[in-house]
Amino acid sequence: EPEVTQTPSHQVTQMGQEVILRCVPISNHLYFYWYRQILGQKVEFLVSFYNNEISEKSEIFDDQFSVERPDGSNFTLKIRSTKLEDSAMYFCASSDQGFNEQYFGPGTRLTVT
Amino acid sequence: KQEVTQIPAALSVPEGENLVLNCSFTDSAIYNLQWFRQDPGKGLTSLLLIQSSQREQTSGRLNASLDKSSGRSTLYIAASQPGDSATYLCAVGSGAAGNKLTFGGGTRVLVKP
């Protein structure tokens, strides 16, 4: 069964460093998303992406964040200068149509020290 | 701003009992509602999606209902098994593109053998 994959599973970085989290969405899907879950808190929406542009973003998704689809299969989230409060599990998701079921990847645990 | 609440936060039942999980949301202008299962330290597994025009959706032992006007959804799991032990999350789809998911805090379920 097709699934969303994410790499790495765990990333440790120092405050102020740049990180890139990678995702491979399900192959025929057109809509891509990033969410995050801080330990013990709710899953939060960060951004949605369609047709090579951001369709919606939350207030969390400030200038430190960017997304890119560099080729036909990958979808990346870049955090330019990480802060301690960026430590969280980051989930990538994809859907075939905008209102349809979103399928989530296993997540990347980001630890900022 | 959409707020999603799940009560109770935790639930323990003996094997074989039916589970009833509740989800409420404050803004009825939603496009869909999705139920997920999350195992500890893992990603989110989609269980059911109900579009806003639907009242109910079924998959195997799972049945989810949606009452948009009252801002409620209920997930029923029939004849619970120890393997059903997990955290169950509901998420409502809204926003400009209709695919921004707002999550509840989850109900942690323990099914005792």
Side-chain angles (χ1 to χ4, degrees):
Chain A
E1 185 170 323
E3 56 183 20
V4 177
T5 59
Q6 291 185 242
T7 54
S9 56
H10 190 193
Q11 171 106 40
V12 182
T13 189
Q14 288 190 326
M15 200 166 48
Q17 296 296 304
E18 175 183 287
V19 294
I20 297 177
L21 309 183
R22 300 179 193 280
C23 168
V24 178
I26 294 173
S27 63
N28 63 339
H29 284 186
L30 302 175
Y31 294 78
F32 315 114
Y33 316 89
W34 284 101
Y35 293 82
R36 78 173 186 189
Q37 186 176 30
I38 295 170
L39 190 64
Q41 297 187 22
K42 294 181 179 182
V43 177
E44 301 172 287
F45 170 82
L46 293 178
V47 66
S48 58
F49 189 87
Y50 169 70
N51 201 25
N52 276 320
E53 59 183 31
I54 290 173
S55 45
E56 190 162 1
K57 60 183 181 180
S58 72
E59 57 274 9
I60 302 168
F61 195 89
D62 61 22
D63 293 344
Q64 293 299 314
F65 291 88
S66 62
V67 289
E68 193 179 31
R69 187 149 163 87
D71 53 44
S73 58
N74 289 283
F75 180 51
T76 62
L77 174 69
K78 183 194 290 187
I79 309 175
R80 234 176 300 279
S81 177
T82 50
K83 307 184 186 81
L84 293 176
E85 54 265 37
D86 293 328
S87 294
M89 183 75 97
Y90 287 81
F91 293 109
C92 173
S94 68
S95 63
D96 57 355
Q97 297 293 331
F99 301 158
N100 281 356
E101 204 163 354
Q102 292 186 26
Y103 293 89
F104 279 65
T108 292
R109 178 163 298 286
L110 177 65
T111 302
V112 182
T113 61
Chain B
K1 182 186 170 188
Q2 180 73 266
E3 295 284 344
V4 182
T5 304
Q6 292 184 250
I7 295 173
L11 186 57
S12 178
V13 299
E15 183 176 1
E17 196 164 294
N18 296 334
L19 284 163
V20 180
L21 307 178
N22 298 303
C23 173
S24 61
F25 46 94
T26 54
D27 186 349
S28 61
I30 66 168
Y31 288 89
N32 54 42
L33 186 145
Q34 199 166 348
W35 282 94
F36 294 88
R37 169 187 171 133
Q38 185 175 32
D39 293 284
K42 305 286 187 187
L44 281 64
T45 301
S46 178
L47 299 173
L48 286 168
L49 172 78
I50 312 178
Q51 298 290 0
S52 62
S53 57
Q54 297 176 311
R55 297 294 299 255
E56 199 172 345
Q57 193 66 254
T58 297
S59 175
R61 292 185 295 114
L62 307 181
N63 174 276
S65 66
L66 174 64
D67 184 342
K68 226 177 72 159
S69 59
S70 68
R72 294 178 193 274
S73 176
T74 303
L75 178 66
Y76 301 89
I77 303 177
S80 61
Q81 304 166 359
D84 295 328
S85 299
T87 297
Y88 291 82
L89 302 174
C90 75
V92 298
S94 58
N99 50 15
K100 169 187 168 183
L101 291 181
T102 302
F103 282 81
T107 294
R108 191 169 66 252
V109 170
L110 176 63
V111 181
K112 298 185 208 171

